[in-house]
Amino acid sequence: MKKTFSFCQALIFIVLVINFSCSSKKDPTPVSTKPEITASDKNSAILGDIVTVTGKNFSKNYQGASQLVAVDPTDTTKQFLLIVISRTSTQMTAVVTGATASTVLAYKNVVGPGNSKLYISSLPISVVAPTANQFFVSSTFTANHLNAGAAASFGVKNGSTTAGDYTVKLVGYDIEGGTSTEFPATVTGVDANGYGGSMDKVNFTVPTVASGEYQVKVTYNSHSLVAGYQVFFFVN
């Protein structure tokens, strides 16, 4: 009788332990898939500058294009599109085309025509004027619809008139995969005050590339900017 009683007590104890163990387990916390910008290498930039942001859950969206914008958080209708030139799930690189003293970085998820959602960060991004003697580029080209092998040009300020001081590359961006490919272009010369009378004109030959739209990256004195940042450069 005592043995039976002890066995019953032990069985009840085991059942209680199992019930307590099961009830104390919590459901796993769902993993967020929401895009989020957590850091940026710049909080101010000149036009045409290149900014790199890091975060999570960056991906292609409508028609493959992830969008990075500078937005006024108090009035989200005030937006400046930054031109993305590369993307991974945790990092995006883009060209600064505009911003104000009150704008912050945001990821814009476009899920269809007229259907988008902003994921606004607290990271400021503003456009500042170039400082004295700072290198900067023109917002346009002499022409931006050209064939491979054609002569092309854009303006620079506070650079040099030596062609060898510049490196020019066409940057192609695959919106589906997020990859960026650079194609070197030959700089053929620099005309002093040849671009609008106030900027030097950098001349280059359009390299042989597939038809499509590109960004034109110029590097001078170890600093890279994107020329013609207000328009796209199209190779026919």
Side-chain angles (χ1 to χ4, degrees):
M1 185 69 181
K2 288 183 179 180
K3 288 184 179 180
T4 303
F5 180 74
S6 298
F7 174 76
C8 291
Q9 283 183 316
L11 184 61
I12 292 170
F13 176 76
I14 291 170
V15 171
L16 288 174
V17 169
I18 292 173
N19 286 339
F20 176 78
S21 176
C22 292
S23 63
S24 63
K25 289 182 179 179
K26 296 181 179 179
D27 293 332
T29 303
V31 177
S32 174
T33 58
K34 180 177 69 173
E36 183 181 0
I37 298 172
T38 57
S40 172
D41 68 338
K42 296 180 181 70
N43 56 26
S44 65
I46 65 172
L47 292 170
D49 216 339
I50 299 171
V51 60
T52 299
V53 302
T54 54
K56 59 184 180 181
N57 299 322
F58 302 149
S59 65
K60 68 177 184 179
N61 50 52
Y62 179 64
Q63 294 183 338
S66 289
Q67 294 187 352
L68 190 64
V69 296
V71 61
D72 185 338
T74 64
D75 183 356
T76 56
T77 63
K78 298 177 180 177
Q79 298 179 17
F80 299 88
L81 179 66
L82 279 64
I83 303 171
V84 176
I85 55 176
S86 70
R87 182 198 75 238
T88 68
S89 61
T90 58
Q91 186 177 90
M92 294 176 72
T93 303
V95 184
V96 177
T97 63
T100 68
S102 58
T103 51
V104 297
L105 288 166
Y107 181 92
K108 188 174 185 178
N109 186 23
V110 183
V111 296
N115 187 2
S116 63
K117 184 175 181 178
L118 280 176
Y119 296 88
I120 301 174
S121 77
S122 59
L123 301 173
I125 182 68
S126 62
V127 166
V128 294
T131 58
N133 301 318
Q134 183 177 5
F135 176 66
F136 63 95
V137 295
S138 63
S139 62
T140 58
F141 304 95
T142 48
N144 67 322
H145 285 75
L146 295 168
N147 296 323
S153 58
F154 55 87
V156 297
K157 190 72 174 178
N158 298 326
S160 81
T161 54
T162 302
D165 290 343
Y166 299 93
T167 299
V168 173
K169 295 179 179 180
L170 266 61
V171 181
Y173 173 54
D174 175 9
I175 61 174
E176 289 291 330
T179 56
S180 177
T181 306
E182 297 185 349
F183 303 91
T186 300
V187 179
T188 56
V190 181
D191 301 330
N193 299 315
Y195 199 88
S198 61
M199 303 182 83
D200 299 331
K201 185 171 71 170
V202 175
N203 305 290
F204 67 96
T205 302
V206 180
T208 301
V209 294
S211 298
E213 68 181 39
Y214 295 85
Q215 300 302 317
V216 178
K217 185 173 76 171
V218 54
T219 302
Y220 171 76
N221 199 22
S222 301
H223 188 71
S224 296
L225 298 172
V226 170
Y229 49 83
Q230 294 291 359
V231 296
F232 285 101
F233 189 86
F234 294 93
V235 178
N236 300 325

